[in-house]
Amino acid sequence: MDPQASSQDRTLHERARLQWQCRRGMLELDAMLQDFMDKRYDDLTPAELQAFEMLLKAPDQLLLDYLMGHAIPIDTEVANVAQQIRYAAGP
Amino acid sequence: MDGTVTDVGVQPVTLARRQFDSLVIGAGGGGLRAALQLATADANVAVVSKVFPTRSHTVAAQGGINAALANVLPDNWHWHMYDTIKGSDYLGDQDAIEYMCRSASHLVYELEHAGVPFSRLDDGKIYQRPFGGQSQNFGGEQAARTCAAADRTGHAMLHTLYQQNIHAKTHFFDEYFAIDLIKDDEGFVLGALVLEIETGKPLLIEAKTTLIATGGAGQLFRTNTNARINTGDGMGMALRAGIPLQDMEFFQFHPTGVAGRGMLLTEGARGEGGYLINKDGERFMERYAPHAKDLASRDVVSRAISTEVREGRGCGPDGEYVLLKLDHLGRDVLQKRLPGISDTIRTFLHIDPAEEPVPVFPTAHYTMGGIPTNRHGQVVVPIDQGEEVIPGLYAAGECACVSVHGANRLGGNSLLDIVVFGRAAGNDIIEYLSNNRYHRRLDEASVDKAVDHLQRWDLQGEGESVANLRNELQLTMEKYCGVFRTEVVLAEGIEKVLELQQRMADVRLQDHSRIFNTARIEAMELENLFDIAVATVVSAHARQESRGAHSRIDYPERDDVHWLKHSLYYKRDRRLDYKPVTLKPISVESFPPKERVY
């Protein structure tokens, strides 16, 4: 990343990068992750943000299991974010 | 432009170039199967994918893969071939279908040996489940032909193929977006201009062969089951390169998707006793299909829902959907028999299906049409009385039209299609490479054109937004080119889509940064969707018959005399052409068209 970029730019780039990590192979994941980005991203604490990044590294099927509550991530912070995503999904 | 790109507000940068024997665009099952074939033959192969490869849409394929292994019930490839031709409503090319069905068992065993964890029978053989449209003995008893790795077959296949490619040293360009094909005056395809999403830098990938494997275009419609990445980028690139798209009027819909969001609610919901009602609480399927009612075939149910909504009997504040009633089944039955559906409904609608009816609407699922290819994966276009191959260009999977699905695809045949024709394309490319050992001279005019295309998105100022225009396009396609099709509706659809497409010229991006500028990617995805939308609605308007997934209310019958032929749509002048269906298989007797009764 450009070292000259302002911190505001960096924040925008960071958001855009995560936004692209939310593009997945399944509609269900796209929908849940997009709802979460729209509703919750701005309020995430640094720890939650880190947990969100870790969660996004999971393969799609496992991520779906986490988000639908069929499996629970071992890391409690990651599990907490997965639950938040589930609650943020929908209308 | 002399091979340089001017970065807006920054100094000019040189266009980076890389050379490979073979370029594969798209990292779903089709692209990865082809890449594997090439890499194991020691070809220098690059795979470009706009998302991380294992996030390709193949991962969402749950059903399984068809092969006549006869592990559960008697079966053979010839019966599978018959079922596929019948399912295609006789629009499938019988040579390609024979090739696919004959190869199926071999390819499933190959996947098994590569590590796909297929579900097993007690005797250790691969388990096979029955699926709609499968028969024994040419239309007899139900067959059991679908091999599955639990409910995550696509996921297992994709991960296995990816790992094998890593092992075979395939070069991956992850998170690179393909913009345009590079083509010379003699018609040879020489690679593609791509964009690194992270840095916003263009890269020219020169290759002796280019395979398009970019998947389907479900994002044409507001209500669809597809991942957001399914914007038909390869089809758009082909159209811009002067290549037609074949049979685009054939799009598979499922009758019951979550209204406004698209998630599939399987037939199982109605199979267990769920039924549909309109705003008056009427069980309207009794009018459309007095005997089968809610269990009528997919197209009948889809059209009935669409008709109810069009005629003002839809539910909700805007009357845009009907309701699927499940609450009478009781919480226990829902939890036991329909847990997945219940989860989906609760998560995305915040509705408890045991308490309230569920808003549903037909949801777009699969693109039968695509880039015309032969069974070797070579892209072919009509010339005089025959066809000619576009040298150096291949296509496989949902973006291609080979055509094994014809007017409608059978469950379990899409995962088969991608591995069979991904591999076939790989084999043909290996032969092509042995006869074409050197890179051809790059056509700089074609490169400049692709760079200009990219730079169009640097225009600044006030203008339309991509998101608004995409929403309008999806709504228009749903309303005018969905499951309810008539002359009047489709003619209006063409007009409206073209009007919207003109507004693309006024779109301006607000974000002109380079790093992870997803707005720019979304703008180019929308360009692709527009070209494909026009292809789809123009082809649908022209076809005056009902066949497979293309159902015309004003022409309710299949018309083999006039329409047993493939449509070909060209972007230039929005011209339509037609070519005959290949009714002659490779080694067996032809299956002549007959009425399709299940």
Side-chain angles (χ1 to χ4, degrees):
Chain A
M1 194 167 288
D2 180 2
Q4 307 275 297
S6 70
S7 68
Q8 196 190 0
D9 281 350
R10 274 201 296 277
T11 313
L12 284 174
H13 294 158
E14 189 50 25
R15 188 191 179 115
R17 189 179 66 77
L18 279 178
Q19 189 84 42
W20 199 253
Q21 303 312 309
C22 294
R23 288 268 209 134
R24 312 299 286 217
M26 300 176 191
L27 169 67
E28 286 76 4
L29 290 177
D30 284 338
M32 291 173 100
L33 294 170
Q34 190 57 53
D35 286 349
F36 181 71
M37 285 296 286
D38 291 345
K39 295 179 192 172
R40 295 297 325 279
Y41 178 82
D42 291 328
D43 304 326
L44 292 179
T45 65
E48 286 172 328
L49 204 55
Q50 204 181 358
F52 183 43
E53 281 232 32
M54 271 175 69
L55 189 63
L56 288 176
K57 290 199 169 80
D60 281 9
Q61 272 290 351
L62 183 61
L63 183 57
L64 187 68
D65 286 343
Y66 286 156
L67 299 191
M68 297 300 281
H70 300 150
I72 299 170
I74 295 170
D75 184 297
T76 49
E77 193 70 67
V78 176
N80 164 41
V81 170
Q83 197 176 42
Q84 284 191 44
I85 295 172
R86 182 159 72 253
Y87 291 151
Chain B
M1 203 168 300
D2 210 20
T4 59
V5 187
T6 310
D7 216 288
V8 170
V10 192
Q11 70 275 30
V13 290
T14 307
L15 181 57
R17 294 168 187 230
R18 297 282 301 267
Q19 282 193 332
F20 290 88
D21 290 330
S22 199
L23 168 63
V24 174
I25 304 173
L32 291 188
R33 185 62 190 81
L36 181 63
Q37 200 73 4
L38 291 162
T40 46
D42 287 333
N44 186 14
V45 54
V47 175
V48 166
S49 177
K50 66 177 173 178
V51 292
F52 188 74
T54 52
R55 295 176 189 172
S56 304
H57 193 48
T58 301
V59 85
Q62 296 181 341
I65 177 167
N66 291 339
L69 305 179
N71 286 354
V72 172
L73 291 170
D75 207 354
N76 77 53
W77 67 263
H78 203 188
W79 301 348
H80 181 192
M81 177 182 172
Y82 167 81
D83 290 339
T84 303
I85 292 167
K86 180 180 169 191
S88 82
D89 220 350
Y90 298 90
L91 194 74
D93 286 328
Q94 298 195 13
D95 60 334
I97 295 174
E98 179 183 341
Y99 178 76
M100 177 176 83
C101 298
R102 286 182 84 121
S103 320
S105 300
H106 172 72
L107 281 166
V108 165
Y109 291 136
E110 204 180 70
L111 288 168
E112 180 191 29
H113 296 158
V116 174
F118 285 111
S119 304
R120 303 275 162 185
L121 293 162
D122 288 341
D123 64 5
K125 289 181 176 170
I126 293 173
Y127 166 74
Q128 296 189 279
R129 64 165 71 115
F131 228 87
Q134 298 176 354
S135 74
Q136 298 179 47
N137 206 15
F138 312 108
E141 296 289 300
Q142 174 74 43
R145 191 173 291 144
T146 308
C147 313
D151 62 351
R152 40 195 66 182
T153 314
H155 169 88
M157 278 173 53
L158 190 65
H159 279 257
T160 302
L161 287 169
Y162 179 63
Q163 281 153 16
Q164 286 199 308
N165 269 285
I166 293 291
H167 182 69
K169 302 209 169 14
T170 297
H171 191 106
F172 281 94
F173 288 91
D174 295 342
E175 299 186 337
Y176 278 70
F177 182 79
I179 298 167
D180 268 318
L181 296 172
I182 305 300
K183 204 175 161 188
D184 69 16
D185 284 346
E186 289 177 60
F188 281 78
V189 172
L190 310 173
L193 182 73
V194 304
L195 181 77
E196 185 180 20
I197 298 172
E198 183 182 357
T199 62
K201 286 183 180 156
L203 169 68
L204 182 65
I205 299 186
E206 274 187 76
K208 297 168 202 163
T209 67
T210 302
L211 170 79
I212 302 177
T214 50
Q219 292 303 327
L220 280 177
F221 302 93
R222 175 177 61 168
T223 311
N224 74 78
T225 66
N226 286 194
R228 283 188 63 195
I229 50 177
N230 285 27
T231 50
D233 302 325
M235 296 185 208
M237 287 165 61
L239 279 175
R240 285 193 296 278
I243 293 151
L245 292 186
Q246 181 176 321
D247 295 339
M248 289 305 288
E249 61 272 41
F250 298 98
F251 214 107
Q252 191 175 64
F253 285 81
H254 270 272
T256 49
V258 172
R261 305 224 64 179
M263 292 81 184
L264 183 65
L265 303 174
T266 64
E267 264 94 353
R270 281 168 288 130
E272 292 294 340
Y275 59 85
L276 297 161
I277 54 172
N278 60 21
K279 75 169 182 190
D280 305 320
E282 183 203 5
R283 280 190 72 170
F284 59 86
M285 281 312 301
E286 291 176 348
R287 265 189 285 122
Y288 296 90
H291 296 293
K293 295 178 192 162
D294 296 87
L295 295 176
S297 63
R298 280 180 188 172
D299 60 319
V300 172
V301 180
S302 295
R303 239 179 359 265
I305 294 172
S306 191
T307 305
E308 290 300 297
V309 166
R310 295 184 85 90
E311 294 182 353
R313 291 186 295 278
C315 309
D318 301 314
E320 287 191 317
Y321 52 78
V322 298
L323 293 170
L324 173 63
K325 220 167 133 28
L326 297 167
D327 53 318
H328 60 288
L329 300 176
R331 197 176 298 280
D332 287 350
V333 170
L334 287 172
Q335 208 42 52
K336 205 167 138 195
R337 305 246 181 86
L338 302 167
I341 288 177
S342 302
D343 264 1
T344 302
I345 294 166
R346 273 194 296 269
T347 306
F348 294 103
L349 291 169
H350 295 189
I351 282 177
D352 179 354
E355 301 277 339
E356 284 179 70
V358 185
V360 294
F361 195 75
T363 185
H365 187 55
Y366 188 87
T367 320
M368 263 80 70
I371 303 164
T373 70
N374 59 21
R375 65 188 151 89
H376 309 290
Q378 296 170 305
V379 175
V380 287
V381 292
I383 179 170
D384 300 328
Q385 294 307 307
E387 282 190 324
E388 75 172 356
V389 168
I390 304 281
L393 187 62
Y394 293 77
E398 195 172 340
C399 71
C401 186
V402 50
S403 131
V404 285
H405 309 304
N408 215 347
R409 179 186 62 86
L410 289 187
N413 269 356
S414 54
L415 287 180
L416 180 60
D417 171 11
I418 62 178
V419 289
V420 168
F421 294 105
R423 172 173 166 272
N427 282 334
D428 203 88
I429 290 170
I430 291 165
E431 201 180 315
Y432 182 94
L433 291 174
S434 68
N435 297 322
N436 296 268
R437 304 180 77 87
Y438 303 102
H439 287 272
R440 291 172 65 85
R441 180 193 292 274
L442 202 60
D443 186 300
E444 295 296 340
S446 177
V447 176
D448 288 350
K449 200 171 150 200
V451 171
D452 286 347
H453 175 196
L454 172 63
Q455 289 191 325
R456 175 261 175 265
W457 293 107
D458 291 335
L459 289 177
Q460 303 206 4
E462 292 298 311
E464 294 242 21
S465 89
V466 168
N468 281 345
L469 211 46
R470 183 179 57 228
N471 290 344
E472 283 196 54
L473 173 67
Q474 290 177 323
L475 265 173
T476 305
M477 285 298 286
E478 184 157 297
K479 196 165 172 194
Y480 296 96
C481 197
V483 293
F484 187 97
R485 296 178 174 187
T486 68
E487 171 76 29
V488 176
V489 168
L490 290 162
E492 211 175 324
I494 295 177
E495 211 173 295
K496 287 190 185 296
V497 171
L498 289 176
E499 270 172 31
L500 289 174
Q501 192 177 29
Q502 279 185 353
R503 284 166 49 192
M504 271 305 276
D506 300 327
V507 172
R508 295 290 180 276
L509 301 182
Q510 297 312 305
D511 178 6
H512 291 278
S513 63
R514 286 287 178 251
I515 298 166
F516 271 106
N517 186 341
T518 51
R520 188 157 61 155
I521 303 298
E522 284 172 7
M524 289 189 282
E525 289 177 331
L526 182 59
E527 283 181 310
N528 292 328
L529 283 175
F530 264 112
D531 281 338
I532 302 164
V534 180
T536 305
V537 67
V538 166
S539 306
H541 176 255
R543 186 174 284 273
Q544 296 178 330
E545 66 158 352
S546 290
R547 182 187 298 270
H550 173 70
S551 180
R552 288 277 300 252
I553 288 168
D554 42 356
Y555 298 96
E557 301 298 326
R558 196 177 79 197
D559 176 0
D560 289 332
V561 176
H562 300 100
W563 289 101
L564 186 58
K565 57 187 180 185
H566 297 295
S567 316
L568 291 165
Y569 167 89
Y570 291 82
K571 180 175 160 72
R572 188 169 184 180
D573 302 329
R574 298 192 290 278
R575 180 168 70 88
L576 277 174
D577 194 0
Y578 293 92
K579 71 175 185 184
V581 174
T582 306
L583 294 171
K584 193 177 176 314
I586 303 167
S587 70
V588 292
E589 291 282 306
S590 176
F591 289 102
K594 56 181 188 184
E595 199 187 344
R596 202 168 55 130
V597 185
Y598 284 107

